[in-house]
Amino acid sequence: MKPRTSNEIRQAFLDFFASKGHYIHPGISLVPTDPSIFLTSAGVVVFRDVIEGRERADNVRVAGCQRCARTTDIENVGRYGRYHTFFEMLGNFSFGDYYKRESLTWGWEFLTEVLGMEKDRLYATIYPDDEEAYAIWTKELGVAPDHIVRLGDNWWGPLAIPGACGPDSEIYYDLGPEYEGETVGDEGDRYLEIWNHVFTEFQKQPDGSLAPLPTKNIDTGAGLERLTRVVQGAKSVYDTDLFAPIMARVEQLVKAAGHAIEGEDLFRQRIIADHARAATFMIMDGILPENSGREYILRRLIRRADREGKMLGLDKPFLHTIVPIVVEQMKPGYPQLVDRQKFITKALRLEEERFFQLLPQGLNALETMLAEPGRERLSGSEAFRLWSSYGFPIEMTQEIVAEHHLPAVDQEEYEAAEAEHSGVSGKHGAGAQNGPAVDLGQYAATEFVGYDTVETSATVLGIVDGNRAILDRTPFYAESGGQIGDQGTLGPATVVNTVKIGSIFLHEFAGPLSVGQTVTARVDTQRRRAITRAHTATHLLHWALHEVIGEHATQKGSLVEPDRLRFDFSHLQAVTPEEVERIERLVNERVLENEPVSYTVMPISEARTLGAMMLFGEKYGSEVRVVTIGGYSKELCGGTHAERSGDIGLFKILSESGVASGTRRIEALTGMKSWEAVRERDSLLAGAVEDLGGSVADVPAKIAALHAQVAALKRDVARLRKSGGAGQIQELAAQAVEVSGVKLVSAALEDADAEQLKAAADQMADILKSGVVVLASVAGGKVMFVAKVTKDLAGKAHAGNILRVVAKAAGGGGGGRPDFAQAGGKDPEKVETALAVAADALRAQLG
């Protein structure tokens, strides 16, 4: 039976090429280890180093299904079925083994015999002068000449310069005359490209020239989404089983919100479905929403989908509710989705909640701007203000501006506003982080011997900036990967720090030193040991984080100092005290096991096979150094380490805190510093025991007793404050005088604050039943007045007007409501005089 579902098509492809002697590669993360590429955007990313000759292939025939993400055509997503931000690329590769004949023949066989596509609906394109490919198509595979099209753009360009490139041959499927389009390769939808066979023969150089690659290679890509559409005979990709369940979920949400999807709404529904898949997979691969890099791409996708949902009547976070649908559909190919579903859902929900709090305000602000009379454009500074105030990505603002038929926001204006906001002026030159930029082109790479020794004889090759020495060889580790640089001596000179620019080590020194001098380069071994303890501890901490809170807790940065470390990692919320305790315990258990720390240099492909942890964004060569602790921690690392895990000593976590959205930080101590920290806490505890009396075991009970005592005292104070001095109030109420038939109490209370004065006035009014109360107090050099009029005197006496006259007599002013008022005065000595005029003010009101 021929494959019909997307999961069956994926598996059929892998099975087919396995039968042709291919190793089935499991694929890599959406975050490549190559820092020149934001996201894994094509299947060839995995094998770029192999194709370009920097890495040896373990298998010369490879096939696989690679998850990819790309936003270069994001404006077309949803409008045209062939564009997606997340997609799966089926591919087969040959590294110096088979070439055009096998590649084209097997591609044709899979499409026509395995998937059962009609041959007369298939077309091939070739590079204009590729007669070899033309002969294979026509003479060996029997494709009619009128189904072969020569296209000048049948040339695969490199992912980066320099990079592999070469001619290619694409396969198109004719969807039928009901679709727009007249010829293969035009902008219409009729002819759908479903497979591309790239023949990589050259490497494009920075000057544009082409140099032959060491071997001729095959790199093919067949989009699973497009193959599925053809096999299932779907009107669009969004009608295939890859998208239909997600589309149905979006429609269900919209209907529940009291709306319907019609007309332009279909475009919005498709965007949401596409972005839901992309966000799910990006978070699965450890990307969390932030304001730069690939993290910004994720944030942009989430907020774009939420904005489209808002336009469909969805006024609260909804995208995270689609995750289970995506997981259910994709789990046969990606079972790890199931394990990370809860984390993905939570990450999406938190990001949506942040955005939906600001979305209505941002939309209102933008719509108000665009509705202004005479508005012809939105400035870059206005667009940036929408980002800084409401979290509106510039791309989303551009889309809304386009919907209003206004010109696009000027990108240079936007970037200038962003730079001004960030306090950025100018750019830093290369090497600026390690001091002034210098010309090091005349020096050969420094030979680093510090893994094997801490002392060696060396020659001073040069001195730059007056205090930075360049040696021919060095045992000093240069600041890198979060580990600080070594200190020590160069003969009579003292090394205070070691840094590196490119392959040149710079030793910052103080003391006599000259070019050509031969010196003994000696590292401060005690300090080095303390650094290695902390560095090895970061590896154990990274492992423990994965064990306790999950594999998403990947390293985002670190600082390794003598017996002290700082480790930043991806996580959505604070690590609980219980989790911190488990992490600390796991590390210390591994320390006690005293496992050896080993170092092995191996091909990067072998390191990947071992499952060694690689840091996203780091650039690795074809040969890498893998640091292994026991059988559990394996990381690519160029730093220095302890010989055994037991060398770390006590591992003590000092703190866990947040440093950015989705990023947490742990600070910890090792070796003697951890002992010193424990000793300091013991001293503080001993002092507390001495003050409290008893023993250490009694401290919790003693503290609990003190808390109870403090709580009781607070209740007593609150009761006294609330009473306002009940006896005094009763006494003053009894001294009320009559003014035109209305009772009046006018008096001062000692050291009463505003709250106590108000409480006293309320209680006194309750005692009088009917009357006016005017009270004053001097506290902290400030004069305060309050006035209270009982309800039955409404319309006759006015508290605010009375108090205005009273306060004025003490050099102040104020007023308030008819029933209650507060005021202040400047002269404490005139309080009694001011209270005396209260009777006159009341009498004037009563007539």
Side-chain angles (χ1 to χ4, degrees), residues 754-775:
E755 184 181 342
Q756 289 170 319
L757 274 183
K758 182 178 183 303
D762 289 339
Q763 293 179 51
M764 206 171 294
D766 289 341
I767 295 172
L768 293 176
K769 306 295 185 184
S770 175
V772 177
V773 179
V774 179
L775 301 178

Side-chain angles (χ1 to χ4, degrees), residues 78-84 189 226 229 236-238 270:
R79 294 193 184 279
Y80 306 100
R82 59 184 181 272
Y83 297 104
H84 304 285
D189 289 332
R226 298 184 183 188
R229 176 185 176 185
S236 76
V237 172
Y238 296 97
R270 288 175 171 181

